[in-house]
Amino acid sequence: MANQIKISAKLKGSVADVKSLMLHPMETGARKDPDTGNTIPAHHITQLIFTNNGKQVMVANFSTAVSKNPFFGFSFDGAKAGDTLKVSWVDNKGETAELETQLA
Amino acid sequence: MQQTRRLFLKGSMALLALASLPRTLLAAVWPKDSFDSTSASGALNALLGADVTTPSDQIAMKVPEIAENGAVVPVSITTSLENVESISIVVNKNPRPLAASFEIPPGTLPKIACRIKMGETSEVMAVVKTSSGIFSTSREVKVTIGGCGG
Amino acid sequence: MVRLAAGCLIFVATVMVYQDAFAGPAEDRQAFVAYFESRFPNIPFDEYANGIYAIDQDAREQWQEIETFPPYEFTIDQGRDLWEAKFPDGQMYSDCFNGAEIGVRQFYPRVDPQSGEVETLATAINRCREKHGQASLKYGGDEIVALSAYMSFVSRGQPINISVSSDEPRALAAYEDGKRFYYTKRGQLNFSCADCHVASAGQYVRADRLSASLGHPTHFPVYRSKTGGMVSLHQRFSGCVRDVRAKPFALQSREFRNLEYFLTYMSNGLGVNGPGARK
Amino acid sequence: MDRVRVNNDIVMSLKTLSIITLACVFIATKSVRAEDVGGSSCSMPGVGTQIKDIKGRVLTHEELFKQLYDEAECLRRAAAAAGAEWLETETLLLRSLEEADEQRWDSALALAEKARFQAGQALRQAEHEVEAWKHRVVK
């Protein structure tokens, strides 16, 4: 789908409250295809990185034990309106997605 | 033939990744060994260099008592400990116990929320690494097999 | 000959019982709501739109956490894109649903005045496509579920408003058929919908607590953690029928459409709150 | 939950049962068509016992299976027409055919018999429900 990341960032003073949702199967590699019976290879986000105006504010490392269509929320200080918050992920197949948003 | 083709694919994929990745991502390394470890202590050793953690009541972990569905278990962790460097979630009874690990740079609050998979009823441990040590708190989360599934 | 006579006798008998066994839809609904009110005196009426989470506190907290950023948001986007796309003739879905950007979910299912059949949101969507020369969407498929999800989303808060018009005998017949389906035991386990979702609402089936039927249709389609995908109301019907080990009917079959008609009428007055997240 | 009540006092042939069931279901559902009723005239060979034809000739396994299968399938169709088919009946019949193709008559007969039993029970259930559901309506 076009937009593989959703993000909501709310400013409370200088603290940004960030919530994000990613469209990803997060296959464990243990599941079998009900039709073919073949094992479905692992396919999961490995790293999720947030930067604010280029400064890294969060690195989240995921295993296959993170739920399908992962949700992740965190907060960071030193944010102000107009800052550019950028989120990007990479998965174990080298696929990536990223999204930018302005803090408000 | 197969071999070279696979190599080529790998190569091209890596390139594609490199091309489209932000610099920061290249810096950070995904802790493969910790995630591949099949024991909690193995995972912690690989990740933090030790598997001994100090129980701390300054860590607040919110998890359900009974998971509505093991595929989606909400976990949120926050701590009043100082100088937090990372927060990790360990599910002892999962085939690979380390579920996720979060690197907390200065300025970022030690407060995270995510949703994880649990194969069976297990202790869930929040592990917080600070400049002064490794602390943890644990809660049991029951995973039940549904009847008709809601 | 004898059998024929027997058949006729039963015919007559059945017709008689059938007649006087029926209160009107309005009385049915009052009794239905009153039953749950007395069964769960602490649950306000509006809460039933939240299904089992009106009853199960621990599950409710997990559900609320998931609803803070629910996975179905991607589906709503997909549905919005489909809704806003133009047909080759330049028309759009909104032209079929009286230009409604404001939701219409609460008016479905309805009885189509032409065919006299129950028209659900899904069949209405396909009828719209037909009208504009488009192939029907597969029921339960991504696109029709995404459209329904978006249409429910823009209808959130609208009170469900289903009518069983007394001057439309086919509407009453469809309602009665859905009602009969709802209360009829079926399958190897010999359960009716009501056995679980009226008589045993709030009780456990192994690890699951049974939801109350009041409010069942308000929140569909739902994102299910179990499958990690969207599930339509008829897919859920199908799952329930399977669970009692009876052979499920087809999605959007007359049986399921009539059941939806009855069930949704029972939930009149509750706010639409689909799409929802469920286990 | 009470199981389907199998009434032992009245030994009613499935033939009569299905006709009555269908007659009732016909009234109740208005969804059963004439051909369904036609499809419900089913014979009843008891499996296991030796079945002889009019000339006193013992039926072969194949002939017996054919009878049993046809009856089971016909009952299944009647149950389906009554909207009361159980989940696995059709699968059992398919498996019985596969067994028959392999000449494995014991399992073929056993599967067909199980299917016939299920379809018969489904019909009894439907017959019982023609009236019974009304007593569950919330009043």
Side-chain angles (χ1 to χ4, degrees), chain B residues 20-150:
Chain B
S20 54
L21 288 190
R23 275 209 152 46
T24 49
L25 195 45
L26 298 174
V29 178
W30 186 66
K32 187 173 189 309
D33 297 352
S34 336
F35 280 121
D36 287 348
S37 172
T38 54
S39 76
S41 63
L44 289 177
N45 271 318
L47 187 71
L48 308 171
D51 62 352
V52 191
T53 65
T54 316
S56 167
D57 54 11
Q58 289 179 271
I59 305 169
M61 173 168 61
K62 189 165 182 293
V63 286
E65 271 179 51
I66 301 170
E68 223 205 336
N69 187 311
V72 184
V73 184
V75 179
S76 57
I77 300 165
T78 176
T79 176
S80 55
L81 291 163
E82 299 291 320
N83 308 321
V84 174
E85 294 167 6
S86 76
I87 299 177
S88 306
I89 303 170
V90 175
V91 183
N92 300 42
K93 291 235 182 94
N94 271 3
R96 290 186 183 74
L98 182 62
S101 181
F102 310 97
E103 298 166 27
I104 315 276
T108 296
L109 281 57
K111 174 173 177 289
I112 61 94
C114 65
R115 300 163 191 163
I116 62 168
K117 299 174 197 160
M118 291 181 64
E120 59 182 300
T121 297
S122 166
E123 287 285 315
V124 174
M125 180 165 50
V127 180
V128 176
K129 183 177 189 309
T130 74
S131 53
S132 52
I134 306 171
F135 304 86
S136 71
T137 188
S138 291
R139 286 269 307 279
E140 189 192 54
V141 176
K142 290 193 179 59
V143 175
T144 53
I145 306 305
C148 303

Side-chain angles (χ1 to χ4, degrees), chain D residues 42-67:
Chain D
C42 308
S43 62
M44 274 200 76
V47 70
T49 62
Q50 281 198 343
I51 307 294
K52 297 178 177 171
D53 63 14
I54 357 166
K55 292 184 189 152
R57 190 179 60 87
V58 177
L59 296 178
T60 65
H61 283 315
E62 186 161 9
E63 291 167 326
L64 186 53
F65 172 75
K66 181 93 178 61
Q67 279 192 30

Side-chain angles (χ1 to χ4, degrees), chain D residues 26-131:
Chain D
F26 176 73
I27 291 134
T29 65
K30 302 171 182 65
S31 71
V32 181
R33 298 166 307 279
E35 59 268 28
D36 298 316
V37 183
S40 68
S41 46
C42 308
S43 62
M44 274 200 76
V47 70
T49 62
Q50 281 198 343
I51 307 294
K52 297 178 177 171
D53 63 14
I54 357 166
K55 292 184 189 152
R57 190 179 60 87
V58 177
L59 296 178
T60 65
H61 283 315
E62 186 161 9
E63 291 167 326
L64 186 53
F65 172 75
K66 181 93 178 61
Q67 279 192 30
L68 196 54
Y69 176 88
D70 290 348
E71 181 198 347
E73 169 57 11
C74 143
L75 284 170
R76 186 195 65 80
R77 259 187 273 108
E85 184 178 355
W86 287 4
L87 185 60
E88 285 172 332
T89 316
E90 199 165 21
T91 320
L92 288 167
L93 284 169
L94 287 169
R95 278 170 55 206
S96 78
L97 278 179
E98 289 163 14
E99 292 299 290
D101 291 345
E102 300 301 319
Q103 314 272 308
R104 290 192 289 264
W105 298 115
D106 287 355
S107 49
L109 285 165
L111 285 161
E113 172 58 20
K114 195 171 175 191
R116 182 181 67 170
F117 175 77
Q118 281 201 2
Q121 290 295 57
L123 275 172
R124 285 168 186 263
Q125 181 182 44
E127 183 211 25
H128 179 259
E129 287 302 308
V130 168
E131 287 308 312

Side-chain angles (χ1 to χ4, degrees), chain A residues 37-74:
Chain A
N38 305 338
T39 314
I40 305 168
H43 184 204
H44 67 101
I45 292 174
T46 50
Q47 251 179 356
L48 175 66
I49 298 208
F50 293 83
T51 59
N52 189 45
N53 291 345
K55 175 183 179 289
Q56 191 169 296
V57 289
M58 168 60 67
V59 178
N61 294 304
F62 286 177
S63 75
T64 55
V66 170
S67 303
K68 180 176 182 178
N69 300 327
F71 165 82
F72 176 64
F74 77 106

